[in-house]
Amino acid sequence: MRNEYLRLDRIEGPFVVLSEVSDAAYDEIVELYADNGQSGRKGRVVLLDEDKAVVQVFGSTTGLSSINTSVRFTGKPLTIPLSKEILGRTFNGIGEAIDGGGAVYSPSRGDINGRPVNPVARQYPRNFIQTGISSIDLLLTLIRGQKLPIFSGNGLPHNELAVQIVRQARIASEEGSDFAIVFAAMGVRHDEADFFIRSFEESGVLERVVMYINLADDPIVERITTPRCALTAAEYLAFEHGMHILVILTDMTSYCEALREISASREEVPSRKGYPGYLYSDLASLYERAGMMKGRKGSITQIPILTMPNDDITHPVPDLTGYITEGQIVLSRDIYQNNIYPPVDVLPSLSRLMKDGIGKGYTREDHPDLANQIFSTYSRVREVRDLAQVIGEDSLSDTDARYLEFGRQFEERLIKQGFNENRDITQTLDLGWHLLSIMPQEELDRISPEIYRKYGRK
Amino acid sequence: MAENKGIISMINGPVIRGRNMRAFRMREMVMVGKDRLIGEVISIDGDKATIQVYEETEGLKIGEEIISTGRPLSLRLGPGIIGSIFDGIERPLDAINRMSPGYLPKGIGLISIDEEKEWEVSLLVSTGQKLGPGQVFGQVQETGSVMHRLMVPPGISGTVVSVVPDGRYDLNQVLVVLRDDNGREVPLKMMQEWPVRTPRPVMKRKPIDRPLITGQRILDMFFPIAKGGTAAIPGGFGTGKTMTQHQLAKWSDADIIVYVGCGERGNEMTEVLEDFPALIDPRTKRSLMERTVLIANTSNMPVAAREASIYTGITLAEYYRDMGYHVAIMADSTSRWAEALREISGRLEEMPAEEGYPAYLPTRLAEFYERAGMVETLNGQEGSVTIIGAVSPPGGDFSEPVTQNTKRFVGAFLALDRRLAHARHFPAINWLSSYSGYMDRLADWYKENAASDVVDLRAQALRLLHEETKLLEIVKLVGEDVLPDDQRLILEIARLLKNGFMSQNAYHSEDTYVPLSKQYLMLKTISHLYSRAYKAVRKGIPISRIRDDKLFDRILRMKYTIPNDDLSGFDGINREIDRFYDELDAVYA
């Protein structure tokens, strides 16, 4: 059986077309060797039509010609080596070591596409992760096994927030349980990647971090495989070794743009804003790889970061992400301009899993009522602010004036927090009650009488 | 007929093409490649045919064979459906998990309900009896709350020539043999098959005359869904579509719930699997799982099976309807189904219409929603299928094709509002943009079963809420203080309607489900307050005296303080309203 071919029919962008191919499998990996010595290029079969195969080349097609290239079919999908040795290592978007530490050898290899988890085998996540960040712990509680993205904009401090979460989060709360961080960078700038690496170093976790890096000037085809490699590594560490894994994926917007670029070059029918119609399914195939499984110890918690083009939350990337992930942390330029870090806009933010992971037995019994009340009060603050802009603060009723005061203090004292400030959950909850004491009791309609008696206005 | 075999000639994601396919039929189910992946023929051109494959095609090769099954994509229908979770083409996920724990394996093959399980069957016919299509010949207690009626499949009739005695049998056991008019013998088993894309026949459709009571105040009182009707719940992400669907699945007064998780989160299905068995159906006092069947095609499962999952769900619903049950099907979300259509259509290089969706999108939506209805079944029973579809419009923009086309074919439209959701007002159903086209047809039912004035109370409440919106426009410009007192009263009452009536706490044990009688009394109490307060305003009493914090607060909290099973507390509240305003009147007399 022939599995090596010496002629290319067509080369276009990242694609090469071969003919008279037999026995090729859909999605298998091919190796391309050009005569100029540039070796080890890989590609993936994306279309088979009779004896023709379309191969998408990782890296670039520069230097390939229709006669100088030999193509070998491997018969296997893209796999990466898996062992505990990967901890502390850095790889490129197709899982090749780039830290000079040599290749990782392991008998165990994982298909980067993974397999969907059977919904029956999933374990519903319920364990609260304390991040030490008040706005998140109180109002957008992170749960172990959750996928909670940060919706940010260019120039907003999403990287700082992610690093603060990594540093402060108590991902493995039980004694003796192990944790690790998997970091996937897709199309980020060199200095951004450096910031993360430096921060990991400073907080002394570098030997527990696995990195898959595809920088802004690296080949875009590899941008598609970067998060898949990272998640395959995460699944291995979580479900084979029982570790609690925090996965940071940044920047999902660059990932989606790479997907669009490739889709356009394949002349696919575009849907919204030129993104391919399968963007939702494609994103789901990444995000759904978070979670916990019955009978296995580990967990995968995902914090994808995306920058909303023009701060527009209805843009397809944040929009489709929000439909798949279990909530979102939205950063706001307005709040940041008022010199508040982290600039979390709590109203459009949400943690869907919070309802089952807070309250009695998890955080504290007053947490659900308190969070609900603060959301409702703060949403009224926004309305009162609009009104105050029109009629002036002096003409506001007494109650409305108190709303304004609550809003000010809430942002200045609860949302605002130092980059190195770590507040525990009791501190945060008490602060919440303290702020609510600004409001008259009649306005607190979300708090049950029993809870109010116990915690209200001390 | 010789076994038909085609040969794979093109592979493009979930769409493949085969040649040597002349003998294949349109919409026929086929098995593809050495892993025997399940697929369906979706177009035929000469000896070539295009197939959508319900599993990942990774590793498939040109030249592998395509095997015909000779029948369209069908479901096996029989005991063992209720309480289970299936994938988009009725393969049992718990059985798959036992075979291969954790991840879904490749090439699962064609498995369905457990045919080897034995059930206690009682037979209801005797030899010599004539049976027609749909007639019940036996029954099986499928779960504590569902009696599974074994029916003669549509299109079959004859005289009973033999019957087995009552006893334990598996699904393949022949229970009854019929001799039809041509003298042919037809064996009847517990199990029958039905193609998913064909609606099951009924005797006739009946007019809609009663609501699906959901225990959710804003639905039952303001925007009712009819039994046999259709409803759509559109909303951007985070507005509580799934939450609302879960509430409906939990508390609707249907006999059977079919819940289709179509392209949604895996954890949401897990949540249902964990929550439902522990929840008690207020009507049967048994576990909710005993009347529920789940279809799961989560967002990371193969996209072609997503397209089929909706049909699988509706076919199961029709099957139980034919037994004489009222079935409600929740499809979350129909947008993901439409997107699956779009993805397949794109790979077929069809000419796209709006936003890349195929031009036949409205037709498909209509075909789906029209399978709802209140009917007389073939065996003369009354049954219904109610469809409640969630819609996920991109960017929360309701002008997009799926929302707009769905709107044309549904009777009730429950628009979820991002602003309400941000204020944590749930269910975040916007009372201005939502509507229910069933109210007129259901008015008589409400008058008979709730109270004679419920329709008027509803109209009054909606009028006040409408008024409020207009007033709020003014308030935004000049503040509330400058409004005349009668208008400020409207704002106060509207606030009570919003926070004390429409907002409902799904996590509160008393508030998550509210019986109709309490819903009515709550509305009546607010209306009573309004009429007394309004009279006081007309007398010139200032609003600051009329709006008593303590009284209003008590009414605001009546949803929590008055238990569902003891409504006597309403008398107390109404007396207090009277006392308060009587005293106020006396002061200003």
Side-chain angles (χ1 to χ4, degrees):
Chain A
M1 187 171 61
R2 205 170 84 123
N3 69 354
E4 195 154 341
Y5 299 84
L6 296 171
R7 249 184 86 91
L8 304 182
D9 280 12
R10 211 151 65 94
I11 306 172
E12 196 180 327
F15 298 101
V16 300
V17 182
L18 296 85
S19 54
E20 287 166 50
V21 175
S22 66
D23 209 37
Y26 185 70
D27 218 19
E28 84 170 281
I29 291 297
V30 301
E31 284 166 2
L32 299 98
Y33 302 91
D35 62 357
N36 59 8
Q38 223 188 334
S39 64
R41 257 186 270 225
K42 283 183 182 165
R44 189 167 68 100
V45 175
V46 292
L47 177 76
L48 288 169
D49 191 357
E50 296 292 345
D51 68 341
K52 266 206 327 239
V54 178
V55 173
Q56 186 179 62
V57 181
F58 300 119
S60 86
T61 45
T62 311
L64 298 182
S65 84
S66 59
I67 47 168
N68 77 346
T69 309
S70 80
V71 179
R72 202 171 66 78
F73 283 76
T74 64
K76 286 195 297 259
L78 184 57
T79 58
I80 55 168
L82 294 171
S83 91
K84 269 197 137 175
E85 307 288 296
I86 59 173
L87 284 171
R89 301 292 307 272
T90 305
F91 303 91
N92 68 4
I94 50 173
E96 296 165 342
I98 50 168
D99 53 2
V104 172
Y105 290 100
S106 165
S108 150
R109 297 184 73 88
D111 178 350
I112 64 155
N113 291 319
R115 299 285 318 160
V117 176
N118 189 328
V120 175
R122 278 184 188 270
Q123 171 89 42
Y124 192 73
R126 289 179 198 277
N127 290 317
F128 155 72
I129 298 178
Q130 179 175 311
T131 64
I133 298 164
S134 292
S135 45
I136 296 179
D137 287 349
L138 174 63
L139 300 167
L140 313 165
T141 316
L142 180 64
I143 303 293
R144 189 193 290 156
Q146 184 172 20
K147 35 191 180 291
L148 188 63
I150 299 174
F151 285 14
S152 184
N154 292 314
L156 291 179
H158 43 267
N159 292 340
E160 284 80 358
L161 182 59
V163 163
Q164 192 173 1
I165 293 173
V166 167
R167 206 174 48 216
Q168 298 181 175
R170 298 220 304 251
I171 303 159
S173 57
E174 298 130 44
E175 286 287 319
S177 58
D178 219 356
F179 79 97
I181 292 148
V182 174
F183 178 72
M186 293 151 283
V188 301
R189 299 192 312 264
H190 284 80
D191 57 319
E192 285 182 274
D194 274 348
F195 171 76
F196 275 101
I197 296 168
R198 235 183 18 254
S199 311
F200 292 144
E201 232 168 332
E202 280 164 13
S203 45
V205 291
L206 201 56
E207 75 281 5
R208 307 205 138 267
V209 183
V210 192
M211 286 188 263
Y212 292 87
I213 307 273
N214 174 273
L215 295 170
D217 54 355
D218 285 337
I220 62 146
V221 178
E222 291 181 16
R223 205 158 290 165
I224 307 302
T225 50
T226 308
R228 292 183 165 81
C229 291
L231 289 163
T232 304
E235 280 171 354
Y236 171 78
L237 293 172
F239 301 128
E240 302 299 322
H241 289 282
M243 297 172 84
H244 295 295
I245 310 293
L246 183 66
V247 181
I248 309 267
L249 305 170
T250 180
D251 174 341
M252 290 309 293
T253 309
S254 308
Y255 170 83
C256 295
E257 274 162 9
L259 205 62
R260 175 169 65 179
E261 189 174 330
I262 291 167
S263 166
S265 61
R266 290 183 65 181
E267 297 175 2
E268 290 172 335
V269 178
S271 68
R272 274 182 80 210
K273 296 213 168 164
Y275 288 95
Y278 50 80
L279 182 60
Y280 178 83
S281 305
D282 189 276
L283 285 173
S285 73
L286 301 178
Y287 297 142
E288 279 289 316
R289 291 172 82 174
M292 298 173 77
M293 280 161 86
K294 284 190 184 120
R296 304 198 197 193
K297 255 183 68 191
S299 65
I300 298 177
T301 310
Q302 263 189 30
I303 302 190
I305 298 171
L306 59 87
T307 44
M308 299 182 277
N310 201 20
D311 293 349
D312 176 10
I313 199 170
T314 65
H315 183 277
V317 177
D319 190 51
L320 295 179
T321 298
Y323 274 119
I324 306 164
T325 54
E326 286 141 349
Q328 63 276 341
I329 297 171
V330 182
L331 303 188
S332 143
R333 205 169 292 278
D334 268 359
I335 297 179
Y336 193 50
Q337 278 160 353
N338 284 330
N339 197 24
I340 290 170
Y341 168 87
V344 177
D345 187 353
V346 298
L347 294 184
S349 301
L350 170 73
S351 163
R352 289 167 191 270
L353 298 185
M354 151 176 190
K355 60 189 167 54
D356 297 304
I358 61 169
K360 210 169 177 174
Y362 298 103
T363 53
R364 206 167 78 184
E365 56 171 338
D366 54 321
H367 192 166
D369 278 17
L370 180 64
N372 205 336
Q373 184 63 57
I374 287 185
F375 272 124
S376 151
T377 308
Y378 187 60
S379 111
R380 175 96 182 105
V381 167
R382 294 286 181 87
E383 287 169 26
V384 174
R385 276 186 191 159
D386 289 346
L387 179 64
Q389 273 193 348
V390 180
I391 62 172
E393 278 194 33
D394 298 339
S395 330
L396 289 179
S397 69
D398 176 50
T399 316
D400 282 353
R402 291 217 212 177
Y403 271 107
L404 276 195
E405 182 56 24
F406 172 85
R408 256 191 299 269
Q409 295 217 21
F410 172 74
E411 285 167 5
E412 280 297 325
R413 297 177 59 187
L414 195 136
I415 302 265
K416 188 171 181 173
Q417 185 168 352
F419 179 58
N420 291 310
E421 191 181 351
N422 190 349
R423 298 185 194 147
D424 74 22
I425 182 72
T426 324
Q427 253 177 310
T428 295
L429 290 172
D430 291 346
L431 182 57
W433 281 108
H434 185 77
L435 293 175
L436 278 187
S437 71
I438 296 169
M439 302 306 303
Q441 195 195 336
E442 315 80 76
E443 295 295 317
L444 307 181
D445 55 358
R446 306 287 173 102
I447 292 179
S448 73
E450 309 87 74
I451 294 288
Y452 190 81
R453 265 195 298 281
K454 202 159 159 193
Y455 296 93
R457 205 192 297 257
K458 288 184 183 151
Chain B
M1 190 173 67
E3 191 180 26
N4 291 317
K5 274 190 188 166
I7 293 169
I8 299 175
S9 63
M10 191 269 305
I11 307 168
N12 180 8
V15 174
I16 66 161
R17 196 171 298 139
R19 56 192 146 74
N20 195 26
M21 306 272 298
R22 265 189 205 284
F24 284 64
R25 296 175 217 193
M26 188 67 178
R27 291 287 172 194
E28 173 178 346
M29 184 163 42
V30 295
M31 290 192 273
V32 178
K34 61 179 184 337
D35 282 331
R36 297 278 182 267
L37 309 176
I38 312 291
E40 186 179 4
V41 177
I42 52 174
S43 81
I44 295 176
D45 175 15
D47 84 328
K48 291 203 189 83
T50 307
I51 293 162
Q52 60 174 342
V53 182
Y54 293 129
E55 296 174 68
E56 281 103 348
T57 49
E58 183 187 294
L60 210 59
K61 292 178 176 178
I62 299 289
E64 289 187 336
E65 61 190 15
I66 302 169
I67 300 167
S68 159
T69 64
R71 58 196 170 91
L73 180 66
S74 321
L75 302 185
R76 295 192 180 164
L77 302 166
I81 292 172
I82 303 290
S84 302
I85 175 166
F86 298 103
D87 78 351
I89 51 175
E90 209 207 6
R91 295 185 296 192
L93 288 170
D94 38 4
I96 292 171
N97 195 44
R98 278 194 300 276
M99 281 174 353
S100 153
Y103 300 99
L104 289 170
K106 256 181 88 168
I108 301 164
L110 200 59
I111 54 171
S112 178
I113 48 176
D114 186 354
E115 294 170 31
E116 276 152 34
K117 184 169 175 184
E118 293 193 339
W119 297 85
E120 194 68 46
V121 188
S122 35
L123 279 302
L124 304 172
V125 293
S126 46
T127 48
Q129 201 173 331
K130 273 198 174 313
L131 292 180
Q135 254 181 298
V136 178
F137 62 86
Q139 58 186 23
V140 172
Q141 191 73 45
E142 187 174 0
T143 68
S145 32
V146 177
M147 178 63 81
H148 192 111
R149 304 195 176 103
L150 305 172
M151 297 170 293
V152 179
I156 291 175
S157 58
T159 313
V160 178
V161 289
S162 72
V163 189
V164 296
D166 290 0
R168 292 185 69 80
Y169 300 104
D170 71 13
L171 263 51
N172 282 312
Q173 170 76 40
V174 175
L175 302 173
V176 173
V177 178
L178 293 183
R179 179 167 294 126
D180 67 10
D181 295 343
N182 302 325
R184 265 188 325 142
E185 292 201 340
V186 190
L188 300 180
K189 303 174 184 176
M190 252 184 276
M191 188 174 67
Q192 52 178 285
E193 287 197 16
W194 192 262
V196 295
R197 294 181 200 278
T198 313
R200 284 176 65 90
V202 296
M203 193 73 86
K204 63 169 192 222
R205 282 182 175 254
K206 296 176 67 171
I208 275 161
D209 61 355
R210 74 198 81 166
L212 181 79
I213 297 299
T214 62
Q216 312 302 308
R217 289 184 290 263
I218 186 164
L219 295 183
D220 292 350
M221 280 291 157
F222 291 168
F223 309 111
I225 303 169
K227 279 211 176 83
T230 50
I233 308 181
F237 66 80
T239 51
K241 281 183 307 298
T242 301
M243 206 44 233
T244 310
Q245 290 275 41
H246 279 195
Q247 283 296 94
L248 294 178
K250 284 175 188 168
W251 308 120
S252 294
D253 70 337
D255 301 311
I256 311 274
I257 299 289
V258 180
Y259 194 97
V260 186
C262 177
E264 292 291 302
R265 304 176 184 89
N267 275 333
E268 286 171 359
M269 296 315 286
T270 312
E271 190 184 359
V272 174
L273 281 174
E274 286 189 13
D275 285 359
F276 277 38
L279 289 168
I280 300 299
D281 183 348
R283 299 180 316 135
T284 58
K285 309 286 178 241
R286 300 195 67 97
S287 157
L288 279 177
M289 206 60 205
E290 291 189 12
R291 64 158 195 182
T292 308
V293 49
L294 302 173
I295 313 284
N297 178 281
T298 58
S299 54
N300 55 342
M301 282 159 77
V303 69
R306 192 165 308 159
E307 194 266 335
S309 65
I310 290 276
Y311 295 102
T312 299
I314 193 84
T315 306
L316 291 179
E318 286 176 343
Y319 175 62
Y320 281 92
R321 172 204 66 195
D322 290 348
M323 295 178 202
Y325 289 119
H326 295 287
V327 187
I329 169 170
M330 281 95 204
D332 183 18
S333 145
T334 56
S335 293
R336 304 302 163 222
W337 168 70
E339 281 164 14
L341 274 185
R342 174 170 72 184
E343 184 170 341
I344 304 286
S345 160
R347 299 215 189 235
L348 294 174
E349 295 175 358
E350 291 173 341
M351 178 68 78
E354 258 181 295
E355 295 200 8
Y357 285 103
Y360 48 77
L361 173 71
T363 322
R364 295 287 172 87
L365 279 168
E367 280 168 4
F368 170 62
Y369 281 106
E370 279 301 299
R371 286 175 81 168
M374 173 70 86
V375 303
E376 185 182 325
T377 64
L378 292 179
N379 52 34
Q381 300 256 13
E382 185 182 74
S384 70
V385 171
T386 310
I387 300 180
I388 301 156
V391 184
S392 317
D397 171 12
F398 289 178
S399 66
E400 59 94 35
V402 182
T403 315
Q404 280 308 313
N405 285 311
T406 302
K407 216 170 171 178
R408 290 161 55 197
F409 307 119
V410 296
F413 187 76
L414 308 165
L416 298 180
D417 187 313
R418 185 166 274 174
R419 218 174 32 83
L420 290 173
H422 287 178
R424 270 50 179 181
H425 173 106
F426 288 113
I429 296 172
N430 184 310
W431 48 91
L432 296 171
S433 44
S434 301
Y435 59 80
S436 165
Y438 297 116
M439 201 54 218
D440 295 341
R441 276 174 278 175
L442 299 177
D444 290 340
W445 188 94
Y446 275 98
K447 282 179 189 154
E448 258 168 58
N449 294 280
S452 54
D453 59 344
V454 65
V455 178
D456 301 329
L457 284 176
R458 170 185 186 268
Q460 182 195 36
L462 288 178
R463 186 178 57 77
L464 286 174
L465 288 166
H466 194 75
E467 253 337 80
E468 186 218 15
T469 315
K470 282 191 268 174
L471 292 176
L472 283 179
E473 292 294 314
I474 304 171
V475 170
K476 261 190 202 151
L477 294 175
V478 295
E480 201 175 315
D481 294 347
V482 296
L483 290 182
D485 279 358
D486 59 337
Q487 294 187 343
R488 291 188 61 187
L489 179 65
I490 291 179
L491 292 183
E492 294 295 343
I493 299 294
R495 210 165 283 156
L496 268 185
L497 282 170
K498 283 189 285 188
N499 299 332
F501 187 79
M502 288 194 290
S503 114
Q504 190 165 347
N505 187 345
Y507 304 113
H508 190 279
S509 56
E510 213 59 47
D511 206 33
T512 183
Y513 166 84
V514 180
L516 208 56
S517 47
K518 179 172 168 184
Q519 298 185 17
Y520 164 71
L521 287 172
M522 287 175 75
L523 204 53
K524 178 103 179 150
T525 304
I526 295 173
S527 167
H528 183 58
L529 174 77
Y530 178 59
S531 66
R532 290 300 314 250
Y534 185 71
K535 275 186 207 138
V537 167
R538 296 309 296 267
K539 277 181 105 173
I541 304 176
I543 187 85
S544 54
R545 295 294 310 277
I546 292 170
R547 190 205 177 287
D548 180 63
D549 284 345
K550 244 184 84 195
L551 182 67
F552 272 59
D553 197 52
R554 197 167 160 201
I555 294 171
L556 187 70
R557 290 180 203 279
M558 64 189 168
K559 56 180 169 183
Y560 299 134
T561 52
I562 298 179
N564 288 337
D565 49 8
D566 177 15
L567 303 178
S568 54
F570 283 106
D571 293 339
I573 291 184
N574 280 292
R575 270 200 304 277
E576 194 176 314
I577 295 172
D578 286 330
R579 191 167 53 234
F580 178 80
Y581 289 106
D582 286 345
E583 280 167 19
L584 201 60
D585 284 349
V587 174
Y588 283 85

